């Protein structure tokens, strides 16, 4: 089959009987989609590379889940046949497979810091019932047994890294997100960071986001003794199958979701208009969702802010430049006007923050 665009690929894979075929691991190429039980719907993003280990030739295959996720490197023995789907994505379609920044555990976690797992597929809307939380000395996780009894499991401080590290030996069911205590929590929808809210924090006309472009409007939140009832309307159905609320497949469908509040579920949402700020309102040290609404939106800590005065070529435009560092350590530079493109997740104490507004001298460029 000739390579297809992303929409056609998802259509081809929609059937549980989607056609598959065998390929030698060394013949895998960008666009092939794995069809194995463990790594089903992980797409190959680069050519396999070879290495020798203990006298055997191994092939390392870079992949990422079609619904978005961390970049993984899977090891296979050379010459091994691998099950793939007959439908193969074009190189252009690879850019539509979301990349989630890796989850970085700080050297000194704070009490209340959390690590949540966002699953590739799920039978509910909220995220976070399997969260790890730091208690000051160890990480702990509340696990509900089949009997309904809740058990608290504990993990040494550094062992959490082996759980969240994006390798072939980490979880193959989703990606992890680090949520520092005292920060507005965030999740990812289609590779973009978005604010996350509990059922208690949702209000009428909030929009809940699902991977695959799904959008659900909150019509009402009813509080009662057993938790909260969310009444939602589908604004846009998710393009992904086997994902949240698959029975709500059409625009206008109405849904009721029950949330007891006991699991601390978070819902990925669109920012409210009143929450967004311009670059001129930021201070050095702020942690923000930067450049909301753009393909390069990210979670980052502000390092420098400066204003570029109007130049000869564009005398009407004043640009704001924000230099920051992402949660996984990448330096990022964003440029906006005075439009509201930043959502504040955390502001350091006054003693450690620069004065509000532009932190660096204005510069003029022509």
């Amino acid at each position: 089959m000739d390579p297809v665009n992303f929409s056609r690929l998802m259509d081809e894979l929609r059937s549980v009987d989607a056609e598959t075929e065998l390929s030698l691991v060394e013949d895998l190429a960008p666009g092939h989609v794995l069809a194995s039980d463990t790594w089903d719907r992980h797409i190959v993003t680069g050519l396999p590379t070879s290495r020798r280990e203990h006298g055997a030739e191994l092939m390392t295959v870079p992949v990422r889940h079609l619904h978005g996720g961390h970049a993984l490197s899977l090891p296979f023995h050379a010459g091994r046949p691998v099950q793939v789907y007959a439908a193969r994505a074009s190189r252009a379609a690879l850019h539509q497979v979301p990349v989630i920044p890796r989850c970085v555990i700080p050297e000194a976690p704070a009490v209340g810091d959390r690590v949540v797992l966002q699953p590739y597929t799920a039978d509910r809307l909220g995220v976070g019932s399997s969260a790890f939380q730091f208690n000051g000395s160890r990480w702990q996780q509340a696990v509900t047994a089949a009997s309904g009894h809740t058990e608290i499991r504990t993990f040494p401080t550094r062992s959490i890294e082996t759980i969240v590290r994006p390798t072939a030996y980490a979880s193959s069911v989703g990606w992890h997100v680090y949520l520092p205590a005292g920060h507005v929590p965030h999740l990812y929808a289609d590779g973009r960071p978005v604010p996350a809210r509990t059922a208690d924090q949702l209000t009428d006309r909030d929009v809940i986001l699902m991977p695959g472009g799904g959008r659900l409007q909150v019509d009402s939140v009813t509080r009662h003794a057993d938790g909260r009832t969310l009444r939602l309307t589908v604004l846009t159905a998710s393009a992904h199958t086997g994902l949240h609320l698959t029975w709500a497949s059409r625009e206008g469908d109405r849904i009721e979701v029950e949330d007891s509040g006991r699991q601390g579920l978070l819902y990925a949402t669109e920012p409210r208009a009143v929450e967004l700020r311009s670059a001129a309102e930021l201070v050095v040290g702020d942690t923000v969702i930067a450049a909301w609404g753009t393909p390069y939106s990210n979670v980052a800590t502000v390092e420098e802010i400066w204003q570029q005065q109007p130049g000869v070529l564009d005398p009407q435009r004043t640009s704001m430049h924000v230099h920051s560092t992402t949660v996984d350590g990448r330096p990022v530079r964003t440029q906006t006007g005075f439009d509201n493109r930043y959502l504040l997740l955390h502001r350091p104490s006054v003693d450690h923050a620069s004065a509000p507004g532009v932190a660096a001298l204005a510069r003029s460029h022509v």
Side-chain angles (χ1 to χ4, degrees):
M1 179 182 291
D2 292 334
V4 297
N5 62 31
F6 190 77
S7 296
R8 173 71 184 280
L9 175 71
M10 298 307 293
D11 285 342
E12 292 287 341
L13 301 188
R14 202 173 296 276
S15 169
V16 294
D17 298 319
E19 184 181 354
T20 64
E21 58 191 26
L22 288 176
S23 171
L24 293 179
V25 63
E26 49 264 50
D27 293 333
L28 292 176
H32 278 128
V33 181
L34 304 185
S36 66
D37 290 339
T38 303
W39 302 106
D40 185 57
R41 295 172 188 260
H42 280 72
I43 188 168
V44 178
T45 58
L47 292 173
T49 57
S50 175
R51 75 176 194 273
R52 298 200 70 82
E53 186 175 298
H54 305 301
E57 184 180 3
L58 296 179
M59 305 296 295
T60 300
V61 182
V63 301
R64 192 161 63 247
H65 197 280
L66 280 172
H67 294 164
H70 302 314
L72 303 175
S73 296
L74 304 185
F76 294 93
H77 286 283
R80 173 184 167 179
V82 179
Q83 196 86 8
V84 298
Y85 289 101
R88 176 180 167 187
S90 65
R91 284 187 173 271
L94 290 175
H95 297 294
Q96 295 179 257
V97 181
V99 183
I100 310 299
R102 63 190 179 91
C103 182
V104 178
I105 308 297
E107 289 291 331
V111 175
D113 283 5
R114 288 176 292 167
V115 174
V116 299
L117 173 71
Q118 279 197 255
Y120 299 133
T121 60
D123 57 4
R124 65 167 180 266
L125 191 60
V127 171
S129 62
S130 59
F132 299 87
Q133 185 161 322
F134 191 65
N135 65 7
S137 60
R138 300 172 75 86
W139 290 90
Q140 57 188 26
Q141 180 187 38
V143 178
T144 303
S147 63
H149 174 71
T150 299
E151 173 188 347
I152 303 298
R153 298 177 182 174
T154 60
F155 303 83
T157 303
R158 303 317 303 180
S159 70
I160 191 73
E161 289 187 350
T162 63
I163 297 173
V164 306
R165 187 180 302 136
T167 69
Y169 305 104
S171 172
S172 60
V173 297
W175 63 83
H176 290 90
V177 184
Y178 196 90
L179 303 180
H183 289 219
V184 173
H186 69 280
L187 295 171
Y188 287 86
D190 293 328
R192 305 288 174 253
V194 297
R197 312 181 205 275
T198 64
D200 270 341
Q201 295 168 332
L202 291 170
T203 62
D204 295 0
R205 305 198 70 79
D206 276 344
V207 175
I208 296 174
L209 300 173
M210 296 184 295
R215 299 172 69 247
L216 307 169
Q217 179 178 281
V218 177
D219 295 328
S220 67
V221 180
T222 304
R223 292 160 174 79
H224 47 76
D226 296 326
R228 305 290 181 265
T229 298
L230 310 179
R231 292 181 175 84
L232 313 170
T233 298
V234 177
L235 299 180
T236 310
S238 172
H240 298 332
T241 57
L243 204 56
H244 315 279
L245 306 177
T246 53
W247 63 90
S249 59
R250 294 176 301 178
E251 181 180 329
D253 282 353
R254 296 182 181 274
I255 304 162
E256 281 195 5
V257 174
E258 299 294 335
D259 187 331
S260 68
R262 292 189 295 271
Q263 296 179 316
L265 297 180
L266 292 170
Y267 299 87
T269 65
E270 287 183 353
R272 299 165 186 157
V274 296
E275 295 173 329
L276 293 171
R277 306 183 179 209
S278 74
E281 298 175 82
L282 303 179
V283 302
V284 172
D286 280 351
T287 300
V288 298
I289 293 178
W292 163 256
T294 67
Y296 47 85
S297 180
N298 55 72
V299 174
T301 299
V302 176
E303 308 287 350
E304 182 184 12
I305 311 163
W306 56 275
Q307 178 177 324
Q308 178 179 323
Q309 299 296 345
V312 174
L313 297 180
D314 191 357
Q316 302 301 318
R317 179 174 176 81
T318 297
S319 296
M320 296 297 300
H321 295 255
V322 179
H323 296 188
S324 54
T325 302
T326 65
V327 292
D328 56 346
R330 292 175 291 113
V332 172
R333 300 183 177 188
T334 57
Q335 176 181 337
T336 58
F338 286 98
D339 46 339
N340 296 331
R341 291 283 191 176
Y342 297 86
L343 188 140
L344 183 65
L345 300 180
H346 177 72
R347 172 158 288 171
S349 63
V350 175
D351 292 341
H352 297 93
S354 71
V358 180
L361 292 176
R363 309 172 189 180
S364 178
H365 290 247
V366 294

